[in-house]
Amino acid sequence: MIIGTAGHIDHGKSTLVRALTGVDTDRLKEEKARGISIELGYAYLPAPDGQVLGFIDVPGHEKLVHTMVAGASGMDFGLLVIAADDGVMPQTREHLAILELVGVTRGAVALTKVDRVDVARVAEVELQVRSLLAGTMLAQAPVFPVNAQAGPDGDDVVRLRNHLFACASALPARREDGFFRLAVDRVFTLAGHGTVVTGTVFSGRLEVAPTSKAAKHDPPDLPCDETRQGGPRQDGQQHDRDAVALVLAPAGTPVRVRSLHAQNRAATVGVAGQRCALNLAGIDTRAIERGDWIADDRAMAPTTRIDVDLRLLADADTTVKAWTPLHIHWGAARRLAHVVPLSADSIAPGTSGRVQLVFDKPVCASAGDRFIARNAQATRSIGGGVMLDPQAPDRKRRSAARLAWLDAIEAMLSDGRLDPVLAQAPLGVRTVDLQRLTGRPFDAASLIDRATPTALSNDAAVAAMSSRLPTEALRIGDIVILRRHRDALRDAALGALRKFHDDLPDEPGADIGRLRRMAWPALDDGLLHALVDDLLRDGEIQRNGPWLHLPGHSAALSEEDEALAQRLLPDLLAGAYDPPWVRDLARRHNQPEDRVRALLRKLMRRGEVSQIVKDLFYHRERVRELLRLMAAIAQAPSRGIEAAAFRDATGLGRKRAIQILEFFDRVGYTRRVRDTHIPRADAQWEM
C-alpha cells in the first residue's frame, strides 16, 4: 500500500513519517536548513504480514502544490495531517480536494502537535475536521491525535501504525494483467550502476529475470538478461512476453531494465501499486525528466489532444472557456494545456463537462487516468477529472457521434465492458486501439479466425477478454467489430455495386479502391480486404481480374459470338495503342456494326477489353502495358503523369493520349489534379 501525506506547511508531516518509519524523508540540504519539505520524500515500513508499506511525504507550501500533486497520483491511502494548534488551513483544504480529485477513497486524519495544546483545543479541532470531511470520500475516516515527538514507540504513533497495517491487509490487490506503466517522479545516476528512475507503478507487472550469477548471490543491482511482463493466465501458468519492449514515453526511446527495487527492496518483480526503482541500461539521465513514463510500448501513444471529463471545484475562481490555459497534472507530469469545451461553451465553478485538452508538445496518458487542473498562474487547484480518449481528433470533436463515443468510453471505464465502445464504432476498432483503451493485451486465444488471418470469422464470436468483449463481436483481420456493423458494411458494398451497374451497365465492375470510395470511404485497409474476401467467399460478389461485380453481371457468349470474339481479339491486340474502331472491325469481318459493338461490350464485362471512348476498345494486354508506362512516368520527381509525357512515351497523338488518361481517371486508377493525373494508392489492376 502506498500512503501519501497531505496537509498544510509545518503541520508535522515529515516528523510523523519519521516517527512511523524511522526514516527522515527530508534529504536535501535546503530542506534541513529551512525545516520544510521541498521535494517529494519517500520512506518504507515493513508490516507484520510481510507487506512493505510505502510512504510519499509531500511538501505543504502553497508554492509547492505542483510537487504534492506529483506524489498524490500514486497514492492508495491519504494521511491528512492537521496540526492541533493551527487547525484547518488553506493547504489543508486544497490537499484534501486534490486527494478527492485523484480518486483516493481510503484515508485517515492525524491530528499532530497535540502536546502543545489542551484537551479542549483537540476536541475543537476534531469538530473542524469532521466539518471539513463531511460530504467527501473521507467523511468516515478515523481521526488519530498524535504526539509525533514521542517517537516510534509512543502510544499514539503505535495506534496509528497498527491502523495503517490493518488497512494495508484489507486493501484489495491491484490487477496485474494490464500493461506495465511506471510514472517517473525522480531520475538520478547511481555510481557503478548508471541511470535510475523511481516512481509508482500505475498498472501491470514487470519481471526482471536475473542471470545465474545474480540468482546465486542476489545483489540488488547486477545487470539482468531479460525483462518480462505479464499476469496470471487463465490456465494458471505465468503469462509473459519474453524481452518485452519497454519505452521511455512520450519520447518512444527503447529502454532495458537491468534490475529493480520494489518497495525499497531488491526484487525481480514489480507490480501495480508498488514504488519501484529501475536501473536502466543505454540511456542518459538527461534524456529523462519527471512526468515521463517507463511503459510497455503497446500501452500508450504520444498525443497532443486528450478528451476528458473536467469538474471544477465550487470555490474555483475561474470559468473555463475556449482556449483557457490550465496547468494539468497527472501521473508525475505537469504540462500546460489549452481547453476546448465540447459539451458546452463554458464550465462554471461547481459544474462539470467534457473538454479537450490541447498540449503544445506530445504527452502520454491512458483512458481512466485522473488529473488535477490548476489555474493559468499555477497558484491554485481549481478542479480535475478523468481522461477519456488520449487520441482525440482535432476535427469534428464536438459532433454528436464524437460525444457518443466519449459516453461509451466512460461507460467502459465504469464497468469494464466493451459493448458501448463497439456499438459506437460502425467501422470497428483496431485491436491496438482497444488495447490502449483497456490498458490490457488481448489474449491471442480469445480472438480466433475461422480461415486465413485476414478472413472474416462469421461464426467465431470473440471470447471474453479482460474487458469482457461482447459475444456478438467479430474479429476481422486486426479489427474488432460488432456483427450488426459488419452486416451493414456488407449491405453498403452490395448496394454500391448495384448502383454502379445501373449507372454504368457496360463497365465490368469496380476495382477494390473504387468500391471503397463508393461504399466505405473511411475503412481501414485490413478490414476492407477482409470484407471483400468474405463477400467473395460467400458468393455475394464475384471477381473478374481487378473488377468486382455482382453475380450475373458478366456476359455469357453463344458459340457464334465466341467464334467471332476469337477473330476480333487478335486484331485489337495487333493494333497496339491505336487499335481499329468498331466500324473498322465490322468492315474487316463483314459483320454489322451493332453486332460487333454488342459483342465487344460483352467482352468488356468479362474483362478482356476496355472501352477508352465510344466504339474504341483496347485489348487487356495493351491496357496492362499502358499501366506499366504510367507507373514508370509517375516515378519522376513530379510523381504525376502529364499528357505530354504520356504522349511521348506511347507515340500517340495528344488527343488520343488525353482520351486514355481520362479513361484511367474514370475507372479510378488515377485522379486528375489540374493537368496532372496521379495514380491512386489503393488502385489495383491485375487483369
Side-chain angles (χ1 to χ4, degrees), residues 490 494 533-542 549-551:
R490 287 166 58 102
L494 298 176
D533 290 345
D534 189 59
L535 288 167
L536 288 168
R537 185 174 58 248
D538 289 348
E540 299 283 351
I541 63 173
Q542 294 177 350
H549 60 84
L550 296 175

Side-chain angles (χ1 to χ4, degrees), residues 516-572:
R516 189 220 299 259
R517 292 190 293 279
M518 293 189 302
W520 313 309
L523 202 61
D524 174 88
D525 280 347
L527 183 55
L528 167 73
H529 290 281
L531 278 170
V532 169
D533 290 345
D534 189 59
L535 288 167
L536 288 168
R537 185 174 58 248
D538 289 348
E540 299 283 351
I541 63 173
Q542 294 177 350
R543 186 190 295 277
N544 181 7
W547 311 119
L548 300 169
H549 60 84
L550 296 175
H553 183 70
S554 60
L557 302 183
S558 65
E559 290 185 8
E560 293 80 4
D561 283 348
E562 189 69 53
L564 180 57
Q566 296 307 314
R567 299 198 301 274
L568 297 177
L569 289 172
D571 288 348
L572 294 177

